[in-house]
Amino acid sequence: MNPLGEKYLRKDFLPFLFCPGCGDGMIVQAFLQAVDDLGCVDDLALTAGIGCSAWIGVYMHVDILKVLHGRAIPAAIGIKATNPSRKVVTFTGDGDCLAIGGNHLLHAARRNIDMTVVMVNNQIYAMTGGQVAPSTAVGSKTQTTPYGNLERQLNGCKVAIAAGATMVSRWSTAHPKQLIKTFKKALNHKGFSFIEIMSQCPVQTGRYLLGSGSPQFNFQWLKDHCMKEEDPSKWAEIEAQGNIPVGDFLQVEQPEFMAEVARMNQRVKEAQAKGGDR
Amino acid sequence: MKKGRIKVMLGNEACVEAALLAGCRFYGGYPITPATEILEIMSRRLPLVDGLCLQMEDEIAALVAVVGASWGGTKAMTATSGPGFCLMQEAIGLAVAVEAPCVIVNVQRGGPASGQSTSTAQGDFYQARYGSNGDYSLIVLCPSTAQEMFDHTIKAFNLSERFRIPVIILSDEVVGHIREKVFIPDADQLTFVERKVPTVPMEEFVIFKPEENGVPLMPTFNTGYKSPVISQAKSLNGNRGNAKEAVENIRRIVSKIEDHMDEFAEVQVYGDEKAETAFVTFGSVCRAARSAVDMGKEKGLAIRSVEVKTVWPFPDHLVRRALAGAKRIVVAEMNLGMLQREIERVIRQPEIKIELFSKIGGIYPQPQEFLRFLEEKR
Ligand SMILES: Cc1ncc(C[n+]2csc(CCOP(=O)(O)OP(=O)(O)O)c2C)c(N)n1
Ligand SMILES: [Mg+2]
């Protein structure tokens, strides 16, 4: 076994439920490498929703709370709130995060609470067998858009930026080195970080959207379509060609929510001690 | 006599007072009449004790955050009313499945849908028990006074920690908004229950293996146990896929409560315990029924009023005992006959018809109406 796996995987939970050729295992590996490099495994608290990608954290030997479809982010907030020294990371799918859980993403980003959301974008609802997702391209034929998808795509990174996330990156499973670096950055970022990972799903996305169920084909598709471009003014052009901008898009410092809570509590307690309550 | 102080408080306020005493340090909520005061008062009070009150983006997030906080190692609660309670149903099942102790208050209002926000009702009687999917059990307490809002909140936290379950306080607008005297015992006069945490080394710990009382030990996150906690059907080690163990686990999360009902089930009788005429009530309606019993007594009518304080799991044997010898049973409630159904199930005597005195539309029943009902429907 890979030494990282030896060190960090739950052996009694194997094998993975991921299909052959799935990108989720690569994400497990990149994340564990980042955790190993930082030596922060004991501080980790993970949450997940429902979907293939929601299982990523379950195989890691760390504290993980896997909740309901779309609700991984509020669970993370509850965990973080009770002990701000935790490094809280949420693994979620494009459907989990942008459809059913979209509202939670907006509000967690807005709060700038110190946590990391890792959204695995396979452009489809994989777990349930290949239905259209908010991230599916217009025109795509899926199990629920048999005549072509009429709805425009929702861009998770743009949403996160607009909602106030203070760190936003997008990479793909074909960028393992960049991913590891970005994971490390996010784990050390004091605020809300959003990492989108374009990932291959040969079984659903490959067969129904891209025309081949071959893992090699699907991995190559990511290599061909993900273009490094960190300047938002150039994204429209790339996207118009059917390509996907990747890179580290944003990192800024803003007051972090739990730190502000601690300050407020201090202030309020001092005022109360003096006889007021504000 | 316990030491403490007396304060005039809103029912909802009494709930907060008790929650803070019980050690609640996380509150996730969303404003909704007639439960909003709980959120508002929590937002004032929690910072003073280094807690956190979060107004979340909706009730789903509120309860899921509570579940997260619970695994994070904190006593946590939320409160809502009908529409928000609907949104919470999936997460109630979550709290059951991941065995997260927490308290959920439903200050009932009229339904269905948005219903009557400022009016009282008791239409969530069954939803409180059966609203989430699948086989499960939980405990539902029904206060009828501000004092009981206080007492039941303490009890709810204790039971939630004892059984590792969500405990629901099924209140209603009358109880939430009544302002009356509440006796607040000093903290050292109360008993507080805390979840049991594991002490064995991580390698020896099996996350969902129950202790003798049916409840597994609960490690707090980041204390070295590296717990896999999933909402799916699971085996003892927390993994999916072992159907036999998963089934046993589902049976256990039901029996851990239902096999120990003696610890918490409560039915009170007010008035003449031997009277042939009996009212059966829960929640705020107990109050009017008590007055009716007193008024009846003045007129020479013997009546008992059976008050079901813990409505779920339904305390069949206690209700049967409280109703023994009754010849006329009138269930009074602010819905179209929910408690009535349970009484019909429990009292199976062909000669006794389980009558229903029902009020809906937010109109609280007057004591005189109880007596009129007895006369007119005879
Ligand atoms: C409330 C609810 N609705 C629907 C489902 C069914 N469901 C399970 S996974 C899923 C889609 C997951 O898609 P995504 O989040 O993109 O994850 P992926 O499987 O693609 O990794 C759905 C709809 C569910 N479990 N719960
Ligand atoms: Mg997906």
Side-chain angles (χ1 to χ4, degrees):
Chain A
M1 191 185 262
N2 173 316
L4 273 178
E6 198 56 60
K7 196 165 170 190
Y8 293 113
L9 289 183
R10 289 182 198 282
K11 314 287 181 312
D12 55 336
F13 277 46
L14 298 175
F16 287 146
L17 60 56
F18 310 132
C19 307
C22 174
D24 288 344
M26 305 172 81
I27 297 169
V28 171
Q29 181 169 5
F31 185 73
L32 288 179
Q33 185 63 60
V35 168
D36 194 54
D37 289 352
L38 295 180
C40 66
V41 67
D42 293 338
D43 301 331
L44 283 179
L46 308 187
T47 71
I50 302 290
C52 300
S53 41
W55 287 95
I56 287 174
V58 177
Y59 298 100
M60 305 181 194
H61 197 216
V62 299
D63 286 307
I64 173 163
L65 180 58
K66 185 173 183 297
V67 294
L68 305 167
H69 191 24
R71 316 301 170 198
I73 291 175
I77 289 177
I79 292 176
K80 181 74 182 179
T82 51
N83 180 353
S85 72
R86 294 177 170 128
K87 290 194 185 296
V88 179
V89 182
T90 291
F91 286 96
T92 173
D94 43 341
D96 203 58
C97 186
L98 295 180
I100 191 164
N103 197 27
H104 307 309
L105 171 65
L106 297 184
H107 292 279
R110 170 175 82 83
R111 290 185 183 107
N112 194 32
I113 186 163
D114 180 21
M115 64 174 286
T116 299
V117 170
V118 180
M119 185 186 87
V120 179
N121 184 353
N122 52 13
Q123 310 177 64
I124 207 156
Y125 282 23
M127 177 63 92
T128 39
Q131 298 81 19
V132 70
S135 49
T136 307
V138 177
S140 302
K141 287 190 179 161
T142 71
Q143 301 296 346
T144 47
T145 52
Y147 309 116
N149 176 26
L150 303 179
E151 299 173 19
R152 290 174 297 167
Q153 276 172 302
L154 192 60
N155 183 320
C157 286
K158 286 187 193 164
V159 169
I161 292 168
T166 48
M167 182 185 147
V168 178
S169 296
R170 180 192 288 129
W171 294 105
S172 83
T173 47
H175 298 87
K177 288 223 168 70
Q178 294 90 330
L179 255 186
I180 294 167
K181 233 170 108 186
T182 298
F183 277 141
K184 287 199 267 189
K185 228 165 73 170
L187 285 166
N188 283 331
H189 178 72
K190 287 276 161 280
F192 185 85
S193 47
F194 180 80
I195 304 172
E196 176 173 3
I197 306 176
M198 302 304 300
S199 180
Q200 71 275 31
C201 170
V203 175
Q204 310 295 351
T205 318
R207 284 194 298 173
Y208 301 121
L209 303 193
L210 308 180
S212 165
S214 132
Q216 292 85 339
F217 172 90
N218 282 277
F219 196 57
Q220 190 59 45
W221 188 94
L222 289 174
K223 287 187 168 169
D224 294 343
H225 288 81
C226 293
M227 315 245 153
K228 181 156 185 231
E229 181 51 75
E230 293 176 344
D231 177 358
S233 69
K234 307 239 170 77
W235 289 350
E237 204 184 315
I238 291 177
E239 286 162 359
Q241 293 160 354
N243 292 325
I244 304 160
V246 297
D248 288 323
F249 299 150
L250 175 81
Q251 186 171 21
V252 293
E253 235 179 84
Q254 293 269 325
E256 191 276 323
F257 184 72
M258 289 311 301
E260 293 299 299
V261 167
R263 283 171 44 168
M264 175 183 75
N265 287 359
Q266 194 56 35
R267 168 164 58 80
V268 173
K269 279 187 299 182
E270 278 166 17
Q272 197 206 29
K274 285 191 207 134
D277 73 348
R278 265 164 236 256
Chain B
M1 182 61 193
K2 281 182 181 168
K3 278 204 236 117
R5 64 200 159 101
I6 288 173
K7 205 179 156 192
V8 176
M9 328 176 76
L10 215 55
N12 283 342
E13 200 179 348
C15 171
V16 174
E17 198 68 48
L20 294 174
L21 264 176
C24 175
R25 290 297 177 268
F26 181 83
Y27 184 95
Y30 193 82
I32 185 166
T33 308
T36 306
E37 296 83 8
I38 300 180
L39 169 60
E40 289 179 349
I41 301 169
M42 277 290 187
S43 70
R44 285 183 74 90
R45 299 280 303 272
L46 270 172
L48 299 169
V49 291
D50 277 325
L52 178 58
C53 175
L54 276 185
Q55 180 173 322
M56 298 298 290
E57 51 273 20
D58 58 34
E59 288 88 345
I60 301 172
L63 183 49
V64 174
V66 162
V67 170
S70 179
W71 269 99
T74 300
K75 289 185 184 175
M77 73 175 286
T78 184
T80 186
S81 187
F85 196 55
C86 291
L87 289 183
M88 286 181 185
Q89 291 305 320
E90 192 192 13
I92 289 174
L94 168 70
V96 167
V98 301
E99 299 186 67
C102 59
V103 173
I104 302 159
V105 184
N106 176 359
V107 188
Q108 292 171 95
R109 64 190 232 177
S114 305
Q116 294 163 292
S117 57
T118 55
S119 302
T120 191
Q122 295 182 312
D124 304 348
F125 177 81
Y126 277 116
Q127 191 190 21
R129 168 65 184 85
Y130 294 110
S132 201
N133 57 312
D135 285 298
Y136 70 101
S137 187
L138 41 60
I139 298 175
V140 181
L141 312 176
C142 293
S144 64
T145 60
Q147 182 69 52
E148 280 182 345
M149 274 297 259
F150 181 93
D151 299 341
H152 286 196
T153 302
I154 300 273
K155 183 172 177 177
F157 273 100
N158 285 347
L159 291 172
S160 75
E161 295 284 321
R162 154 72 179 86
F163 291 104
R164 282 184 60 185
I165 50 165
V167 174
I168 292 171
I169 298 176
L170 191 62
S171 178
D172 63 67
E173 191 274 338
V174 166
V175 181
H177 282 167
I178 199 151
R179 194 178 283 280
E180 57 189 358
K181 262 199 258 177
V182 177
F183 174 69
I184 304 168
D186 293 344
D188 60 11
Q189 308 284 302
L190 290 163
T191 308
F192 302 110
V193 177
E194 312 291 333
R195 66 195 70 172
K196 293 210 173 75
V197 299
T199 49
V200 297
M202 183 237 281
E203 301 73 38
E204 290 167 32
F205 181 61
V206 183
I207 180 138
F208 288 105
K209 192 171 147 208
E211 297 285 283
E212 244 162 58
N213 63 7
V215 182
L217 302 174
M218 184 172 180
T220 293
F221 270 24
N222 302 97
T223 57
Y225 285 92
K226 308 220 157 79
S227 309
V229 185
I230 68 173
S231 57
Q232 274 82 4
K234 58 181 87 58
S235 32
L236 293 179
N237 71 349
N239 198 8
R240 58 187 264 286
N242 180 333
K244 189 171 158 282
E245 283 189 16
V247 166
E248 279 166 15
N249 192 57
I250 294 166
R251 291 188 189 283
R252 176 184 62 77
I253 59 177
V254 173
S255 64
K256 73 175 177 182
I257 302 167
E258 306 207 338
D259 291 354
H260 296 94
M261 275 179 65
D262 292 351
E263 290 180 33
F264 57 85
E266 191 183 342
V267 172
Q268 285 178 15
V269 181
Y270 182 81
D272 180 348
E273 284 181 17
K274 301 244 151 42
E276 291 191 353
T277 302
F279 296 132
V280 189
T281 59
F282 73 102
S284 67
V285 178
C286 299
R287 309 171 67 105
R290 283 193 177 200
S291 302
V293 167
D294 293 343
M295 287 165 67
K297 196 172 172 191
E298 277 168 29
K299 292 185 178 167
L301 282 176
I303 309 171
R304 64 177 115 170
S305 181
V306 173
E307 306 173 346
V308 190
K309 297 293 175 188
T310 58
V311 290
W312 300 112
F314 199 75
D316 294 13
H317 61 296
L318 294 184
V319 169
R320 236 176 250 132
R321 194 189 302 156
L323 283 171
K327 300 253 156 38
R328 190 173 180 198
I329 299 176
V330 176
V331 180
E333 53 187 329
M334 295 187 294
N335 60 54
L336 294 178
M338 296 186 183
L339 176 61
Q340 179 197 26
R341 244 181 117 94
E342 290 307 304
I343 303 299
E344 280 171 349
R345 185 179 60 74
V346 169
I347 307 293
R348 290 174 173 273
Q349 290 165 258
E351 69 283 6
I352 300 180
K353 182 172 161 264
I354 309 298
E355 297 168 65
L356 174 67
F357 170 42
S358 154
K359 281 284 202 176
I360 60 167
I363 300 153
Y364 185 77
Q366 298 301 308
Q368 304 86 312
E369 291 179 285
F370 283 76
L371 299 182
R372 220 176 300 139
F373 182 96
L374 289 180
E375 259 167 49
E376 285 171 9
K377 303 281 161 144
R378 174 159 296 282

